[in-house]
Amino acid sequence: MGNKIAILADIHGNSAALKAVLNNIDNDTEHIYCLGDLVGIGHETDEVLEILSSRNDVSCIIGNHDQAIIKIIHGEEPDSYGEEREHHQWIASRLNEKYVPFLSNLPLKIEKKICNKHFLFVHYHLNDNQTFQSIDRRPTLEKLDECYRKQSIDIICFGHHHKIHHFKSNKRLYLNPGSLGCNHNPVATYCTIHVNDSNQLSITFNEVPYDNRQFLLAYEKLNVPAKDFILNVFHGDQHKQLK
């Protein structure tokens, strides 16, 4: 028995990958937590937001791309520049206004007690002013424990870095399921956490194959701003094998 949850991160406007993962999640999973960057980078913005906003078993938090797009919609300056800002403006211009309240009201973090384990769900580690820290590309247990030393958290689930993290100290556990929507192969990643009645944890990282051909080829058809950079850096130029 106990409680089983699924952790998703960095969907990045890829509804094909999201559907594959949701179809893969076991029926005994009680809740799904989505760790931000629902949109941006990928072009299937409305499709992703329709799926997530229509389910009552999914809790979402905001990511930096979500923040940038919402700022543009509300006439504020986003924290993006150059080609990235042009991309965010394009995403914002195509976003169906019915999803604006959902995206605007996403919380910065969620704290939840699950089977006597205190969870924190956040897009990435926060500074004292509640803004995202810069990505640490060489994280260590010592640095992570120092970051959270003032907080009574058992398990910290985060995304943003797009890489799988599984760190455990004698203080707490740190998990990043990797990016669901951005991968150099046609797979989508997520993780499940099962807390049993004895408060023991079982963690599984899952890699779900899916057909990403139409998703990748649409970048050219739609003339998505920054498409060359996105397809190279976030998708490993897989589209070149499809032509």
Side-chain angles (χ1 to χ4, degrees), residues 16-217:
L18 176 59
K19 290 173 185 175
V21 163
L22 292 175
N23 287 336
N24 187 258
I25 291 174
D26 293 336
N27 292 330
D28 62 348
T29 300
E30 295 190 27
H31 204 75
I32 299 168
Y33 292 90
C34 180
L35 307 181
D37 277 0
L38 285 55
V39 298
I41 297 180
H43 48 80
E44 297 173 339
T45 306
D46 288 353
E47 294 89 338
V48 166
L49 295 179
E50 174 61 28
I51 292 168
L52 296 173
S53 64
S54 65
R55 295 180 62 127
N56 57 18
D57 63 341
V58 178
S59 295
C60 300
I61 56 176
I62 201 163
N64 56 297
H65 283 267
D66 310 317
Q67 285 180 332
I69 290 160
I70 283 300
K71 283 183 177 180
I72 290 170
I73 289 171
H74 292 319
E76 303 171 13
E77 285 292 309
D79 297 321
S80 56
Y81 304 91
E83 202 173 39
E84 184 184 26
R85 177 177 291 199
E86 183 185 356
H87 175 81
H88 285 151
Q89 290 170 331
W90 184 85
I91 295 289
S93 71
R94 290 167 54 87
L95 174 65
N96 188 317
E97 64 180 15
K98 75 176 184 177
Y99 301 117
V100 172
F102 172 77
L103 203 56
S104 300
N105 292 319
L106 292 176
L108 188 62
K109 60 185 177 180
I110 294 174
E111 292 188 40
K112 186 80 173 176
K113 201 160 190 179
I114 302 173
C115 294
N116 292 319
K117 294 288 187 181
H118 193 172
F119 282 75
L120 170 66
F121 304 98
V122 66
H123 182 59
Y124 199 63
H125 320 305
L126 297 168
N127 293 311
D128 290 339
N129 60 0
Q130 297 299 286
T131 59
F132 299 123
Q133 297 180 14
S134 299
I135 289 179
D136 183 352
R137 303 195 181 276
R138 292 192 176 119
T140 65
L141 276 174
E142 290 74 20
K143 288 190 284 185
L144 289 166
D145 276 344
E146 175 61 22
C147 180
Y148 291 95
R149 63 185 172 84
K150 296 180 181 179
Q151 301 185 50
S152 299
I153 307 290
D154 299 308
I155 302 164
I156 294 149
C157 300
F158 62 96
H160 190 43
H161 193 178
H162 290 196
K163 295 183 179 294
I164 291 173
H165 294 75
H166 186 185
F167 293 103
K168 188 179 189 307
S169 71
N170 58 3
K171 297 182 177 67
R172 58 189 65 85
L173 176 66
Y174 306 91
L175 294 173
N176 182 339
S179 175
L180 183 151
C182 296
N183 201 298
H184 284 209
N185 296 295
V187 295
T189 63
Y190 74 102
C191 80
T192 55
I193 305 174
H194 180 220
V195 186
N196 67 21
D197 292 333
S198 300
N199 283 326
Q200 294 177 317
L201 293 175
S202 176
I203 299 160
T204 305
F205 290 92
N206 306 279
E207 195 174 81
V208 184
Y210 74 102
D211 186 347
N212 65 357
R213 289 174 295 179
Q214 295 307 312
F215 174 75
L216 295 176
L217 292 174

